[in-house]
Amino acid sequence: MKVRDLYIDAICYEEVSLAHYIHHLLQEGKASLEDDASHLDLNLADHEKVREMIENNVLGFHKVGVYSLKKNKREFVFIFAHYEQEAIELFVKTYHQTPLNCHPYSLNTQLLREHKLTTFWEMRKEHLVFPAIAGYFVK
């Protein structure tokens, strides 16, 4: 795998730290997009500069997670949102009630949808605006 591929994956999968480290190493000339990713040495980076880049969100990440909000004893609603409070606000606005709880889920969670196995990562690609309702689950 080339550094280019690792960099693209880091951006696509919102690996904020890794993407910023690679970006920094590329800027400093300490890595090339054509290098083998197995030879990438993150210790060559100026960690303070990378920390500042992450804090300033130089690469423009707007992380979106998925949250499970419990509607009642048997019903759950999954919501894509930037943060937990945003998911709760959409739930209250949509269902006119406060959720019983709210828990983050991994975007890598696999689920059966329309007789096909998918992940929240794949489902998230269907939305352009967040927060958004991802789906429902009934026990």
Side-chain angles (χ1 to χ4, degrees), residues 42-71:
L42 301 182
N43 290 319
L44 295 175
D46 179 330
H47 302 295
E48 184 59 29
K49 280 185 181 178
V50 174
R51 184 188 63 75
E52 288 174 14
M53 289 171 66
I54 292 169
E55 281 180 3
N56 294 325
N57 198 16
V58 170
L59 295 176
F61 281 98
H62 298 287
K63 285 187 90 165
V64 173
V66 64
Y67 298 88
S68 169
L69 295 94
K70 191 172 186 177
K71 188 173 180 187

PDB file of all heavy atoms in Angstrom, residues 42-71:
ATOM      1  N   LEU A  42       5.872   8.078  11.621  1.00  0.00           N
ATOM      2  CA  LEU A  42       5.172   9.216  12.232  1.00  0.00           C
ATOM      3  C   LEU A  42       6.032   9.934  13.267  1.00  0.00           C
ATOM      4  O   LEU A  42       5.756  11.079  13.611  1.00  0.00           O
ATOM      5  CB  LEU A  42       3.855   8.754  12.859  1.00  0.00           C
ATOM      6  CG  LEU A  42       2.859   8.086  11.903  1.00  0.00           C
ATOM      7  CD1 LEU A  42       1.588   7.723  12.644  1.00  0.00           C
ATOM      8  CD2 LEU A  42       2.554   8.974  10.711  1.00  0.00           C
ATOM      9  N   ASN A  43       7.084   9.270  13.748  1.00  0.00           N
ATOM     10  CA  ASN A  43       7.979   9.904  14.719  1.00  0.00           C
ATOM     11  C   ASN A  43       8.811  11.016  14.097  1.00  0.00           C
ATOM     12  O   ASN A  43       9.415  11.821  14.818  1.00  0.00           O
ATOM     13  CB  ASN A  43       8.901   8.856  15.362  1.00  0.00           C
ATOM     14  CG  ASN A  43       8.121   7.943  16.282  1.00  0.00           C
ATOM     15  OD1 ASN A  43       7.249   8.395  17.023  1.00  0.00           O
ATOM     16  ND2 ASN A  43       8.407   6.654  16.210  1.00  0.00           N
ATOM     17  N   LEU A  44       8.856  11.092  12.766  1.00  0.00           N
ATOM     18  CA  LEU A  44       9.583  12.166  12.091  1.00  0.00           C
ATOM     19  C   LEU A  44       8.808  13.482  12.130  1.00  0.00           C
ATOM     20  O   LEU A  44       9.351  14.536  11.815  1.00  0.00           O
ATOM     21  CB  LEU A  44       9.853  11.788  10.629  1.00  0.00           C
ATOM     22  CG  LEU A  44      10.780  10.597  10.391  1.00  0.00           C
ATOM     23  CD1 LEU A  44      10.845  10.287   8.900  1.00  0.00           C
ATOM     24  CD2 LEU A  44      12.166  10.882  10.962  1.00  0.00           C
ATOM     25  N   ALA A  45       7.554  13.408  12.513  1.00  0.00           N
ATOM     26  CA  ALA A  45       6.694  14.599  12.539  1.00  0.00           C
ATOM     27  C   ALA A  45       6.997  15.471  13.745  1.00  0.00           C
ATOM     28  O   ALA A  45       7.447  14.995  14.786  1.00  0.00           O
ATOM     29  CB  ALA A  45       5.226  14.173  12.571  1.00  0.00           C
ATOM     30  N   ASP A  46       6.723  16.754  13.595  1.00  0.00           N
ATOM     31  CA  ASP A  46       6.775  17.692  14.716  1.00  0.00           C
ATOM     32  C   ASP A  46       5.409  17.569  15.392  1.00  0.00           C
ATOM     33  O   ASP A  46       4.408  18.104  14.916  1.00  0.00           O
ATOM     34  CB  ASP A  46       7.014  19.109  14.194  1.00  0.00           C
ATOM     35  CG  ASP A  46       7.064  20.144  15.290  1.00  0.00           C
ATOM     36  OD1 ASP A  46       6.397  19.963  16.336  1.00  0.00           O
ATOM     37  OD2 ASP A  46       7.748  21.174  15.093  1.00  0.00           O
ATOM     38  N   HIS A  47       5.358  16.837  16.501  1.00  0.00           N
ATOM     39  CA  HIS A  47       4.094  16.511  17.160  1.00  0.00           C
ATOM     40  C   HIS A  47       3.328  17.753  17.606  1.00  0.00           C
ATOM     41  O   HIS A  47       2.092  17.766  17.572  1.00  0.00           O
ATOM     42  CB  HIS A  47       4.337  15.563  18.337  1.00  0.00           C
ATOM     43  CG  HIS A  47       5.023  14.293  17.923  1.00  0.00           C
ATOM     44  ND1 HIS A  47       4.446  13.367  17.098  1.00  0.00           N
ATOM     45  CD2 HIS A  47       6.273  13.830  18.204  1.00  0.00           C
ATOM     46  CE1 HIS A  47       5.293  12.368  16.894  1.00  0.00           C
ATOM     47  NE2 HIS A  47       6.411  12.633  17.543  1.00  0.00           N
ATOM     48  N   GLU A  48       4.038  18.782  17.969  1.00  0.00           N
ATOM     49  CA  GLU A  48       3.376  20.030  18.388  1.00  0.00           C
ATOM     50  C   GLU A  48       2.674  20.688  17.197  1.00  0.00           C
ATOM     51  O   GLU A  48       1.543  21.162  17.307  1.00  0.00           O
ATOM     52  CB  GLU A  48       4.393  20.999  19.011  1.00  0.00           C
ATOM     53  CG  GLU A  48       3.795  22.272  19.554  1.00  0.00           C
ATOM     54  CD  GLU A  48       2.740  22.067  20.634  1.00  0.00           C
ATOM     55  OE1 GLU A  48       2.811  21.072  21.370  1.00  0.00           O
ATOM     56  OE2 GLU A  48       1.826  22.917  20.732  1.00  0.00           O
ATOM     57  N   LYS A  49       3.336  20.705  16.046  1.00  0.00           N
ATOM     58  CA  LYS A  49       2.717  21.275  14.845  1.00  0.00           C
ATOM     59  C   LYS A  49       1.479  20.472  14.448  1.00  0.00           C
ATOM     60  O   LYS A  49       0.450  21.038  14.070  1.00  0.00           O
ATOM     61  CB  LYS A  49       3.705  21.294  13.672  1.00  0.00           C
ATOM     62  CG  LYS A  49       4.682  22.431  13.707  1.00  0.00           C
ATOM     63  CD  LYS A  49       5.520  22.434  12.440  1.00  0.00           C
ATOM     64  CE  LYS A  49       6.538  23.548  12.463  1.00  0.00           C
ATOM     65  NZ  LYS A  49       7.399  23.538  11.264  1.00  0.00           N
ATOM     66  N   VAL A  50       1.569  19.147  14.529  1.00  0.00           N
ATOM     67  CA  VAL A  50       0.430  18.296  14.165  1.00  0.00           C
ATOM     68  C   VAL A  50      -0.722  18.534  15.137  1.00  0.00           C
ATOM     69  O   VAL A  50      -1.883  18.635  14.725  1.00  0.00           O
ATOM     70  CB  VAL A  50       0.823  16.802  14.122  1.00  0.00           C
ATOM     71  CG1 VAL A  50      -0.400  15.922  13.881  1.00  0.00           C
ATOM     72  CG2 VAL A  50       1.872  16.551  13.041  1.00  0.00           C
ATOM     73  N   ARG A  51      -0.425  18.669  16.419  1.00  0.00           N
ATOM     74  CA  ARG A  51      -1.459  18.951  17.408  1.00  0.00           C
ATOM     75  C   ARG A  51      -2.188  20.245  17.063  1.00  0.00           C
ATOM     76  O   ARG A  51      -3.420  20.307  17.086  1.00  0.00           O
ATOM     77  CB  ARG A  51      -0.864  19.052  18.824  1.00  0.00           C
ATOM     78  CG  ARG A  51      -1.921  19.242  19.915  1.00  0.00           C
ATOM     79  CD  ARG A  51      -1.299  19.522  21.278  1.00  0.00           C
ATOM     80  NE  ARG A  51      -0.538  20.760  21.314  1.00  0.00           N
ATOM     81  CZ  ARG A  51      -1.081  21.975  21.340  1.00  0.00           C
ATOM     82  NH1 ARG A  51      -2.382  22.134  21.322  1.00  0.00           N
ATOM     83  NH2 ARG A  51      -0.319  23.046  21.390  1.00  0.00           N
ATOM     84  N   GLU A  52      -1.425  21.274  16.693  1.00  0.00           N
ATOM     85  CA  GLU A  52      -2.025  22.559  16.302  1.00  0.00           C
ATOM     86  C   GLU A  52      -2.863  22.409  15.032  1.00  0.00           C
ATOM     87  O   GLU A  52      -3.931  23.001  14.923  1.00  0.00           O
ATOM     88  CB  GLU A  52      -0.926  23.607  16.089  1.00  0.00           C
ATOM     89  CG  GLU A  52      -0.272  24.073  17.370  1.00  0.00           C
ATOM     90  CD  GLU A  52       0.906  25.001  17.133  1.00  0.00           C
ATOM     91  OE1 GLU A  52       1.060  25.511  15.995  1.00  0.00           O
ATOM     92  OE2 GLU A  52       1.687  25.218  18.082  1.00  0.00           O
ATOM     93  N   MET A  53      -2.374  21.614  14.081  1.00  0.00           N
ATOM     94  CA  MET A  53      -3.135  21.382  12.851  1.00  0.00           C
ATOM     95  C   MET A  53      -4.480  20.719  13.167  1.00  0.00           C
ATOM     96  O   MET A  53      -5.515  21.095  12.605  1.00  0.00           O
ATOM     97  CB  MET A  53      -2.345  20.486  11.888  1.00  0.00           C
ATOM     98  CG  MET A  53      -1.138  21.143  11.261  1.00  0.00           C
ATOM     99  SD  MET A  53      -0.104  19.967  10.340  1.00  0.00           S
ATOM    100  CE  MET A  53      -1.209  19.510   9.025  1.00  0.00           C
ATOM    101  N   ILE A  54      -4.444  19.749  14.065  1.00  0.00           N
ATOM    102  CA  ILE A  54      -5.677  19.045  14.438  1.00  0.00           C
ATOM    103  C   ILE A  54      -6.633  20.005  15.143  1.00  0.00           C
ATOM    104  O   ILE A  54      -7.823  20.054  14.833  1.00  0.00           O
ATOM    105  CB  ILE A  54      -5.370  17.815  15.320  1.00  0.00           C
ATOM    106  CG1 ILE A  54      -4.627  16.757  14.490  1.00  0.00           C
ATOM    107  CG2 ILE A  54      -6.648  17.236  15.924  1.00  0.00           C
ATOM    108  CD1 ILE A  54      -4.049  15.614  15.312  1.00  0.00           C
ATOM    109  N   GLU A  55      -6.103  20.786  16.077  1.00  0.00           N
ATOM    110  CA  GLU A  55      -6.936  21.759  16.807  1.00  0.00           C
ATOM    111  C   GLU A  55      -7.565  22.773  15.854  1.00  0.00           C
ATOM    112  O   GLU A  55      -8.709  23.179  16.028  1.00  0.00           O
ATOM    113  CB  GLU A  55      -6.112  22.500  17.856  1.00  0.00           C
ATOM    114  CG  GLU A  55      -5.873  21.702  19.117  1.00  0.00           C
ATOM    115  CD  GLU A  55      -5.050  22.475  20.146  1.00  0.00           C
ATOM    116  OE1 GLU A  55      -4.711  23.656  19.912  1.00  0.00           O
ATOM    117  OE2 GLU A  55      -4.740  21.874  21.187  1.00  0.00           O
ATOM    118  N   ASN A  56      -6.810  23.191  14.840  1.00  0.00           N
ATOM    119  CA  ASN A  56      -7.306  24.167  13.860  1.00  0.00           C
ATOM    120  C   ASN A  56      -8.078  23.498  12.723  1.00  0.00           C
ATOM    121  O   ASN A  56      -8.544  24.190  11.812  1.00  0.00           O
ATOM    122  CB  ASN A  56      -6.152  24.991  13.295  1.00  0.00           C
ATOM    123  CG  ASN A  56      -5.514  25.858  14.363  1.00  0.00           C
ATOM    124  OD1 ASN A  56      -6.188  26.357  15.248  1.00  0.00           O
ATOM    125  ND2 ASN A  56      -4.202  26.010  14.290  1.00  0.00           N
ATOM    126  N   ASN A  57      -8.174  22.183  12.776  1.00  0.00           N
ATOM    127  CA  ASN A  57      -8.914  21.401  11.784  1.00  0.00           C
ATOM    128  C   ASN A  57      -8.502  21.784  10.353  1.00  0.00           C
ATOM    129  O   ASN A  57      -9.342  22.071   9.501  1.00  0.00           O
ATOM    130  CB  ASN A  57     -10.422  21.571  11.979  1.00  0.00           C
ATOM    131  CG  ASN A  57     -11.220  20.500  11.295  1.00  0.00           C
ATOM    132  OD1 ASN A  57     -10.695  19.459  10.911  1.00  0.00           O
ATOM    133  ND2 ASN A  57     -12.504  20.748  11.118  1.00  0.00           N
ATOM    134  N   VAL A  58      -7.200  21.775  10.121  1.00  0.00           N
ATOM    135  CA  VAL A  58      -6.621  22.177   8.845  1.00  0.00           C
ATOM    136  C   VAL A  58      -7.233  21.410   7.668  1.00  0.00           C
ATOM    137  O   VAL A  58      -7.446  21.975   6.598  1.00  0.00           O
ATOM    138  CB  VAL A  58      -5.077  21.995   8.874  1.00  0.00           C
ATOM    139  CG1 VAL A  58      -4.466  22.160   7.507  1.00  0.00           C
ATOM    140  CG2 VAL A  58      -4.466  22.971   9.862  1.00  0.00           C
ATOM    141  N   LEU A  59      -7.549  20.151   7.878  1.00  0.00           N
ATOM    142  CA  LEU A  59      -8.096  19.333   6.792  1.00  0.00           C
ATOM    143  C   LEU A  59      -9.618  19.398   6.702  1.00  0.00           C
ATOM    144  O   LEU A  59     -10.221  18.765   5.840  1.00  0.00           O
ATOM    145  CB  LEU A  59      -7.629  17.873   6.936  1.00  0.00           C
ATOM    146  CG  LEU A  59      -6.114  17.671   6.785  1.00  0.00           C
ATOM    147  CD1 LEU A  59      -5.742  16.211   7.032  1.00  0.00           C
ATOM    148  CD2 LEU A  59      -5.641  18.111   5.414  1.00  0.00           C
ATOM    149  N   GLY A  60     -10.239  20.157   7.588  1.00  0.00           N
ATOM    150  CA  GLY A  60     -11.674  20.405   7.495  1.00  0.00           C
ATOM    151  C   GLY A  60     -12.567  19.218   7.816  1.00  0.00           C
ATOM    152  O   GLY A  60     -13.607  19.039   7.194  1.00  0.00           O
ATOM    153  N   PHE A  61     -12.184  18.421   8.779  1.00  0.00           N
ATOM    154  CA  PHE A  61     -13.019  17.292   9.175  1.00  0.00           C
ATOM    155  C   PHE A  61     -14.273  17.770   9.899  1.00  0.00           C
ATOM    156  O   PHE A  61     -14.219  18.687  10.711  1.00  0.00           O
ATOM    157  CB  PHE A  61     -12.264  16.340  10.116  1.00  0.00           C
ATOM    158  CG  PHE A  61     -11.311  15.436   9.399  1.00  0.00           C
ATOM    159  CD1 PHE A  61      -9.961  15.740   9.338  1.00  0.00           C
ATOM    160  CD2 PHE A  61     -11.756  14.284   8.786  1.00  0.00           C
ATOM    161  CE1 PHE A  61      -9.073  14.907   8.689  1.00  0.00           C
ATOM    162  CE2 PHE A  61     -10.877  13.441   8.126  1.00  0.00           C
ATOM    163  CZ  PHE A  61      -9.537  13.754   8.081  1.00  0.00           C
ATOM    164  N   HIS A  62     -15.380  17.129   9.585  1.00  0.00           N
ATOM    165  CA  HIS A  62     -16.651  17.357  10.281  1.00  0.00           C
ATOM    166  C   HIS A  62     -17.189  15.977  10.614  1.00  0.00           C
ATOM    167  O   HIS A  62     -18.062  15.449   9.917  1.00  0.00           O
ATOM    168  CB  HIS A  62     -17.641  18.133   9.405  1.00  0.00           C
ATOM    169  CG  HIS A  62     -17.150  19.482   9.037  1.00  0.00           C
ATOM    170  ND1 HIS A  62     -17.086  20.525   9.927  1.00  0.00           N
ATOM    171  CD2 HIS A  62     -16.660  19.962   7.866  1.00  0.00           C
ATOM    172  CE1 HIS A  62     -16.595  21.590   9.318  1.00  0.00           C
ATOM    173  NE2 HIS A  62     -16.323  21.267   8.071  1.00  0.00           N
ATOM    174  N   LYS A  63     -16.611  15.384  11.660  1.00  0.00           N
ATOM    175  CA  LYS A  63     -16.944  14.006  12.002  1.00  0.00           C
ATOM    176  C   LYS A  63     -18.429  13.839  12.289  1.00  0.00           C
ATOM    177  O   LYS A  63     -19.038  14.647  12.953  1.00  0.00           O
ATOM    178  CB  LYS A  63     -16.140  13.548  13.215  1.00  0.00           C
ATOM    179  CG  LYS A  63     -14.686  13.265  12.893  1.00  0.00           C
ATOM    180  CD  LYS A  63     -13.992  12.657  14.068  1.00  0.00           C
ATOM    181  CE  LYS A  63     -14.139  11.164  13.964  1.00  0.00           C
ATOM    182  NZ  LYS A  63     -13.245  10.428  14.836  1.00  0.00           N
ATOM    183  N   VAL A  64     -18.956  12.766  11.756  1.00  0.00           N
ATOM    184  CA  VAL A  64     -20.347  12.401  11.999  1.00  0.00           C
ATOM    185  C   VAL A  64     -20.342  10.989  12.565  1.00  0.00           C
ATOM    186  O   VAL A  64     -19.720  10.091  11.999  1.00  0.00           O
ATOM    187  CB  VAL A  64     -21.176  12.451  10.696  1.00  0.00           C
ATOM    188  CG1 VAL A  64     -22.570  11.916  10.921  1.00  0.00           C
ATOM    189  CG2 VAL A  64     -21.222  13.875  10.160  1.00  0.00           C
ATOM    190  N   GLY A  65     -21.022  10.819  13.677  1.00  0.00           N
ATOM    191  CA  GLY A  65     -21.144   9.502  14.288  1.00  0.00           C
ATOM    192  C   GLY A  65     -22.574   9.021  14.198  1.00  0.00           C
ATOM    193  O   GLY A  65     -23.449   9.708  13.669  1.00  0.00           O
ATOM    194  N   VAL A  66     -22.807   7.842  14.729  1.00  0.00           N
ATOM    195  CA  VAL A  66     -24.172   7.316  14.778  1.00  0.00           C
ATOM    196  C   VAL A  66     -24.507   7.035  16.242  1.00  0.00           C
ATOM    197  O   VAL A  66     -23.668   6.547  17.001  1.00  0.00           O
ATOM    198  CB  VAL A  66     -24.347   6.057  13.890  1.00  0.00           C
ATOM    199  CG1 VAL A  66     -23.499   4.888  14.364  1.00  0.00           C
ATOM    200  CG2 VAL A  66     -25.809   5.672  13.789  1.00  0.00           C
ATOM    201  N   TYR A  67     -25.715   7.399  16.624  1.00  0.00           N
ATOM    202  CA  TYR A  67     -26.176   7.258  18.001  1.00  0.00           C
ATOM    203  C   TYR A  67     -27.456   6.442  18.040  1.00  0.00           C
ATOM    204  O   TYR A  67     -28.323   6.594  17.178  1.00  0.00           O
ATOM    205  CB  TYR A  67     -26.423   8.638  18.621  1.00  0.00           C
ATOM    206  CG  TYR A  67     -25.174   9.465  18.683  1.00  0.00           C
ATOM    207  CD1 TYR A  67     -24.800  10.267  17.609  1.00  0.00           C
ATOM    208  CD2 TYR A  67     -24.337   9.417  19.789  1.00  0.00           C
ATOM    209  CE1 TYR A  67     -23.631  11.013  17.644  1.00  0.00           C
ATOM    210  CE2 TYR A  67     -23.163  10.154  19.833  1.00  0.00           C
ATOM    211  CZ  TYR A  67     -22.818  10.952  18.758  1.00  0.00           C
ATOM    212  OH  TYR A  67     -21.655  11.677  18.787  1.00  0.00           O
ATOM    213  N   SER A  68     -27.545   5.591  19.049  1.00  0.00           N
ATOM    214  CA  SER A  68     -28.757   4.811  19.287  1.00  0.00           C
ATOM    215  C   SER A  68     -29.527   5.505  20.399  1.00  0.00           C
ATOM    216  O   SER A  68     -29.017   5.678  21.504  1.00  0.00           O
ATOM    217  CB  SER A  68     -28.390   3.394  19.716  1.00  0.00           C
ATOM    218  OG  SER A  68     -29.542   2.713  20.184  1.00  0.00           O
ATOM    219  N   LEU A  69     -30.755   5.905  20.096  1.00  0.00           N
ATOM    220  CA  LEU A  69     -31.601   6.573  21.079  1.00  0.00           C
ATOM    221  C   LEU A  69     -32.808   5.684  21.363  1.00  0.00           C
ATOM    222  O   LEU A  69     -33.514   5.272  20.434  1.00  0.00           O
ATOM    223  CB  LEU A  69     -32.049   7.942  20.569  1.00  0.00           C
ATOM    224  CG  LEU A  69     -30.888   8.922  20.387  1.00  0.00           C
ATOM    225  CD1 LEU A  69     -30.377   8.901  18.971  1.00  0.00           C
ATOM    226  CD2 LEU A  69     -31.291  10.306  20.786  1.00  0.00           C
ATOM    227  N   LYS A  70     -33.017   5.402  22.641  1.00  0.00           N
ATOM    228  CA  LYS A  70     -34.091   4.501  23.044  1.00  0.00           C
ATOM    229  C   LYS A  70     -35.397   5.278  23.157  1.00  0.00           C
ATOM    230  O   LYS A  70     -35.527   6.191  23.961  1.00  0.00           O
ATOM    231  CB  LYS A  70     -33.743   3.836  24.377  1.00  0.00           C
ATOM    232  CG  LYS A  70     -34.650   2.708  24.764  1.00  0.00           C
ATOM    233  CD  LYS A  70     -34.112   1.986  25.993  1.00  0.00           C
ATOM    234  CE  LYS A  70     -34.932   0.760  26.312  1.00  0.00           C
ATOM    235  NZ  LYS A  70     -34.350   0.042  27.453  1.00  0.00           N
ATOM    236  N   LYS A  71     -36.377   4.864  22.341  1.00  0.00           N
ATOM    237  CA  LYS A  71     -37.674   5.532  22.318  1.00  0.00           C
ATOM    238  C   LYS A  71     -38.588   4.983  23.410  1.00  0.00           C
ATOM    239  O   LYS A  71     -39.287   5.740  24.088  1.00  0.00           O
ATOM    240  CB  LYS A  71     -38.315   5.340  20.939  1.00  0.00           C
ATOM    241  CG  LYS A  71     -39.561   6.143  20.723  1.00  0.00           C
ATOM    242  CD  LYS A  71     -40.023   6.035  19.281  1.00  0.00           C
ATOM    243  CE  LYS A  71     -41.279   6.866  19.097  1.00  0.00           C
ATOM    244  NZ  LYS A  71     -41.868   6.678  17.788  1.00  0.00           N
TER     245      LYS A  71
END
